[in-house]
Amino acid sequence: RGIDGSGVRQGDKLIGIASSGIHSNGFSLVRKICFDHLGLTVDSVVSELEMPLGEALLTPTRIYANAVRNLIKDLPIHGLAHITGGGIPDNILRIIPNSCGVRMFENSWKVPAVFRYLQEAGNVSEPEMRRTFNCGLGMIAVVPEADVQEVLDRLHGMEEQAFLVGEVTALSEPDNRMHWVASDDLKAC
């Protein structure tokens, strides 16, 4: 049983596990926004972040080894995507068959304040944020629909913040395999 995406099928669900912050991606854009554009220093206290900027930017990266090991030992995990460089779209689409698309559920997880701050301060578009940063999701597991609740319960039992964040769909547009839908639109899906 592989976690490389070879078992991913239409109807599978995406479960996101929270990140601890920026992790190690997007620092060129962070530097441009915070230091070049805003003229801040690592000691600058940013009220939106409630801590010095350097502390918010250098929050240690979460390691997912224990959570992943616990999930794959006896649950059907069809794929795992570590959300690193390339952000959410590139990393998820790497493990989704080319014959499928992905529907992501906006507002289905809590986006940490550091990302909202960077977006507003740098006037960064939502698509660019998603391509550059993890936006609060450090790991995404692709699981069969029937196992969603058990996977969520297991992660919550390990004190992980985990959320149902999307689903694998039929491919509707080969050039646009990922679609984002607002929470309000989910009722129609």
Side-chain angles (χ1 to χ4, degrees):
R1 176 176 67 183
I3 57 172
D4 61 358
S6 60
V8 172
R9 301 287 178 262
Q10 184 178 332
D12 283 352
K13 303 300 181 187
L14 280 62
I15 295 179
I17 306 173
S19 69
S20 56
I22 293 178
H23 290 184
S24 59
N25 297 99
F27 276 96
S28 294
L29 183 55
V30 168
R31 184 183 66 247
K32 182 179 174 186
I33 293 169
C34 295
F35 305 118
D36 298 346
H37 175 65
L38 297 176
L40 300 174
T41 70
V42 293
D43 297 320
S44 298
V45 175
V46 177
S47 60
E48 294 91 339
L49 304 178
E50 301 176 351
M51 65 180 68
L53 180 62
E55 198 174 312
L57 297 177
L58 296 177
T59 300
T61 298
R62 293 252 305 100
I63 305 298
Y64 300 94
N66 288 334
V68 166
R69 218 179 354 256
N70 192 297
L71 290 177
I72 65 174
K73 74 179 178 183
D74 59 0
L75 291 171
I77 306 300
H78 289 174
L80 288 166
H82 189 202
I83 310 304
T84 59
I88 294 170
D90 287 355
N91 288 290
I92 292 175
L93 291 176
R94 279 189 195 116
I95 64 164
I96 303 297
N98 289 332
S99 61
C100 294
V102 172
R103 181 181 304 146
M104 292 295 294
F105 308 147
E106 291 180 346
N107 305 316
S108 59
W109 72 92
K110 182 175 171 37
V111 176
V114 68
F115 296 110
R116 292 293 167 221
Y117 174 74
L118 291 168
Q119 184 174 21
E120 290 173 22
N123 194 29
V124 182
S125 71
E126 195 68 35
E128 184 63 22
M129 289 295 294
R130 293 171 182 157
R131 273 193 308 271
T132 304
F133 299 109
N134 68 55
C135 295
L137 297 176
M139 179 73 68
I140 295 180
V142 183
V143 304
E145 183 174 16
D147 296 292
V148 167
Q149 194 57 55
E150 188 173 356
V151 171
L152 286 170
D153 289 346
R154 175 87 51 98
L155 288 166
H156 293 152
M158 291 184 287
E159 298 186 8
E160 295 284 354
Q161 293 179 36
F163 318 90
L164 175 61
V165 298
E167 61 190 353
V168 179
T169 63
L171 183 63
S172 57
E173 300 172 52
D175 294 336
N176 186 12
R177 294 179 52 216
M178 181 172 283
H179 295 277
W180 293 80
V181 294
S183 302
D184 296 343
D185 297 338
L186 291 177
K187 295 174 184 91
C189 298

